[in-house]
Amino acid sequence: MASQVLVAANRGPLSYALSDDGTLSARRGGGGLVSGLSAALAQQPEALWICAALSEADREAVRRGVAEPGVRMLDIDPTVYDDAYNGIANSVLWFTHHHLYDIPREPVFDARFRRQWESYTAYNQAFAEALAEEAADGARVLVQDYHLALVPGALRALRPDLRIAHFTHTPWASYEFMRMLPDDVRGQLVWGMLGADLLGFHAWRWSANFISGATTDDATGVADGYMPSGTPERGVWHRRIVPGGKNGYGEKRFTDVRQFPLGVDADELRALAHRPEVDEKLAQLRAEVGDRKTIVRVDRTELSKNILRGLLAYRELLTVHPEWRGRVVHLASAYPSRQDLAVYRAYTEAVRELAAEINAEFGTADWQPVLVSVKDDFTRSLAAYRLADVALVNPVRDGMNLVAKEIPVVSEAGCALVLSTGAGAYEELQKDVLTVNPFDVTQTAEALHAALSMPADERAERTKRLAAAATALPPSAWFTAQLDALS
Ligand code: G6P
């Protein structure tokens, strides 16, 4: 019989809402990963998803012993959680892996950081203990993302019988950026990860960064164990690192480092995109846009997504190629994200302001150049996907970027994809996109011009190939590939 499967992730598949009369109701989360993982987990007997309680309502559910089958929420002390999630995961690790620091001012590793790091360690330990408690003999555990980098090592110490995988959804920092972290912290992160039997990344570049960092870093002491014995798999290579040596776990153990480039489920996405509420939204957008061309982007309001340079490029397009004035509309959806952090709030505001400036500079009585929606509105995004003539995906760095894969699957008339080299998705999609350096605003403006000018048949051909590449490894296959690699 197949062994039990457990998933650990900061964010769970559902959240609770507390109504005025004190009733708790569970709501399934949206998004490709949650639905993909939920569908894949549903096929596993006795599967369990361990996640953090993210809100007061979630914590109340844990206190009352309310739980949905297959999900266990951990009620972590709110201060510890805030330090771990906002302090370390989203302000330090996210910034490191995305190379986002404003170097003259950040990062600063001081006493406050040390307190936050202790919280991060405690939060990871809480996950490891819950997994150790719940896992059957020989169970397979899939740990998700940078929030939980220490879990594999902590869990292996408690339960050496388990098969443990860790998947990183973000990029992995280049060694020069990793080296900014204090030596002991860097060592703990790398050794925490190497507690896993399998380390997964979306793109070759990120696994290569992990391996080159871990094996050249004196703070880790892994160098001796590196085995450059690659096995070609789906056109990419995986490498093995042998933990052991001065920081190791005693016995020699292999950690496979491999790529599992997550894709989209075409049938599911198309079904979602053709629900009546999306049709209605599409009709509204069509009425606003008229017969103009559309440039579509959809992101969280996230610094790494590079929304501001995208808007600057659009402004440059309208300046340098005035023939597009009045003939194009930029539909930008920005979901507010991590608004507990001041730097994210400021970024969200800057996006609104720049969009307003562009509208003031170029807008006319019957043409608004940018329609920006700063809210979590997946229905509008799907309608915009269907309408897209051009998709703009220009992150500075991004683990994968599923928007780049979703738009070609859903777009009705075929859309030209302007994609930055910073996205993990670039590795698979590069042949059929207009490539941009995310920092080069002029190049991005010219790519938008080329995309808008692309003949319809070429656009349709490219979109077909992009959609095929985008659906090569849908979430359930992505999940199963990792389970198989673990078994
Ligand atoms: C990225 C991370 C995910 C995270 C998501 C949303 O995609 O890799 O782990 O869940 O952003 O961020 P949030 O902080 O809202 O969970």
Side-chain angles (χ1 to χ4, degrees):
M1 198 185 85
S3 60
Q4 183 202 18
V5 177
L6 295 98
V7 165
N10 173 64
R11 199 171 269 287
L14 52 85
S15 57
Y16 288 92
L18 193 56
S19 60
D20 290 343
D21 67 1
T23 327
L24 281 167
S25 48
R27 203 171 65 106
R28 285 262 142 197
L33 189 60
V34 164
S35 49
L37 271 177
S38 306
L41 266 187
Q43 289 164 17
Q44 303 291 334
E46 302 172 80
L48 183 67
W49 185 324
I50 297 188
C51 57
L54 300 182
S55 63
E56 204 28 60
D58 287 355
R59 276 191 278 276
E60 185 55 27
V62 180
R63 274 181 231 127
R64 291 189 201 169
V66 173
E68 299 299 308
V71 181
R72 174 167 166 197
M73 278 187 178
L74 303 182
D75 180 9
I76 292 166
D77 174 88
T79 312
V80 171
Y81 183 75
D82 181 56
D83 278 353
Y85 172 72
N86 285 314
I88 298 297
N90 288 340
S91 298
V92 176
L93 299 180
W94 182 272
F95 275 62
T96 303
H97 290 318
H98 291 85
H99 298 184
L100 287 176
Y101 287 119
D102 173 9
I103 302 284
R105 290 182 299 181
E106 296 168 321
V108 175
F109 299 122
D110 54 4
R112 178 164 170 265
F113 166 80
R114 285 290 159 184
R115 187 201 70 214
Q116 293 175 332
W117 180 252
E118 266 178 42
S119 295
Y120 181 80
T121 307
Y123 155 88
N124 273 254
Q125 187 65 29
F127 270 84
E129 283 168 14
L131 287 164
E133 197 179 297
E134 300 283 357
D137 279 352
R140 289 167 293 175
V141 181
L142 282 80
V143 181
Q144 308 296 305
D145 237 350
Y146 59 100
H147 314 88
L148 302 178
L150 305 181
V151 167
L155 181 57
R156 180 165 299 281
L158 295 168
R159 289 289 304 272
D161 61 300
L162 302 178
R163 299 287 296 162
I164 306 170
H166 182 282
F167 193 88
T168 298
H169 293 268
T170 63
W172 190 265
S174 72
Y175 182 45
E176 293 303 322
F177 267 77
M178 278 306 279
R179 247 181 21 176
M180 289 198 290
L181 297 175
D183 291 359
D184 59 322
V185 164
R186 209 165 70 242
Q188 286 176 58
L189 282 170
V190 169
W191 280 99
M193 298 271 286
L194 287 178
D197 300 291
L198 174 68
L199 293 177
F201 294 88
H202 283 307
W204 183 87
R205 280 177 289 171
W206 317 141
S207 37
N209 279 354
F210 178 84
I211 290 171
S212 69
T215 54
T216 47
D217 192 341
D218 284 345
T220 67
V222 179
D224 292 346
Y226 173 50
M227 290 192 16
S229 58
T231 308
E233 180 124 344
R234 292 164 13 97
V236 290
W237 295 77
H238 67 96
R239 297 278 192 261
R240 294 182 146 190
I241 293 181
V242 190
K246 66 178 183 191
N247 289 317
Y249 294 98
E251 98 276 36
K252 275 206 164 182
R253 237 179 10 83
F254 286 115
T255 296
D256 262 358
V257 182
R258 296 178 50 167
Q259 295 76 239
F260 300 90
L262 178 63
V264 303
D265 181 326
D267 293 342
E268 192 195 334
L269 187 64
R270 289 195 187 114
L272 280 174
H274 286 87
R275 286 169 305 155
E277 59 264 42
V278 180
D279 292 340
E280 210 174 290
K281 200 75 198 178
L282 180 61
Q284 274 171 28
L285 284 181
R286 277 212 172 102
E288 282 178 80
V289 169
D291 59 3
R292 299 181 179 96
K293 293 212 179 239
T294 55
I295 298 173
V296 170
R297 76 171 305 143
V298 174
D299 316 85
R300 291 184 294 111
T301 52
E302 162 61 58
L303 288 75
S304 64
K305 304 289 183 189
N306 208 21
I307 304 171
L308 289 175
R309 285 191 194 82
L311 287 169
L312 292 175
Y314 183 60
R315 176 155 83 186
E316 195 160 312
L317 169 83
L318 298 177
T319 308
V320 177
H321 297 284
E323 67 272 24
W324 290 114
R325 292 185 198 169
R327 292 178 49 219
V328 62
V329 175
H330 186 11
L331 296 172
S333 292
Y335 304 168
S337 180
R338 304 184 189 161
Q339 298 291 300
D340 287 346
L341 297 176
V343 61
Y344 278 76
R345 292 198 297 276
Y347 192 75
T348 309
E349 220 23 65
V351 167
R352 278 190 222 271
E353 278 168 20
L354 184 52
E357 266 175 42
I358 294 171
N359 283 333
E361 189 178 344
F362 297 99
T364 60
D366 62 357
W367 173 55
Q368 190 173 328
V370 189
L371 297 178
V372 64
S373 151
V374 183
K375 62 174 172 197
D376 189 344
D377 186 349
F378 192 47
T379 303
R380 181 191 194 265
S381 302
L382 288 170
Y385 283 5
R386 283 173 60 183
L387 199 58
D389 294 304
V390 174
L392 175 58
V393 183
N394 65 325
V396 171
R397 276 166 86 78
D398 206 335
M400 171 53 78
N401 197 302
L402 284 177
V403 172
K405 292 186 165 182
E406 288 168 351
I407 296 187
V409 170
V410 171
S411 121
E412 292 188 351
C415 91
L417 176 58
V418 175
L419 183 62
S420 91
T421 53
Y426 186 75
E427 276 182 12
E428 295 156 273
L429 305 182
Q430 57 187 286
K431 282 205 297 289
D432 285 298
V433 304
L434 293 117
T435 300
V436 292
N437 164 345
F439 302 98
D440 190 339
V441 167
T442 297
Q443 185 194 33
T444 308
E446 286 308 316
L448 289 175
H449 173 61
L452 289 166
S453 313
M454 190 182 283
D457 52 348
E458 181 183 345
R459 246 175 41 183
E461 278 306 310
R462 285 187 189 229
T463 304
K464 226 187 276 165
R465 290 193 295 263
L466 286 170
T471 51
L473 195 63
S476 51
W478 170 83
F479 187 79
T480 313
Q482 291 172 72
L483 285 181
D484 290 349
L486 254 192
S487 299

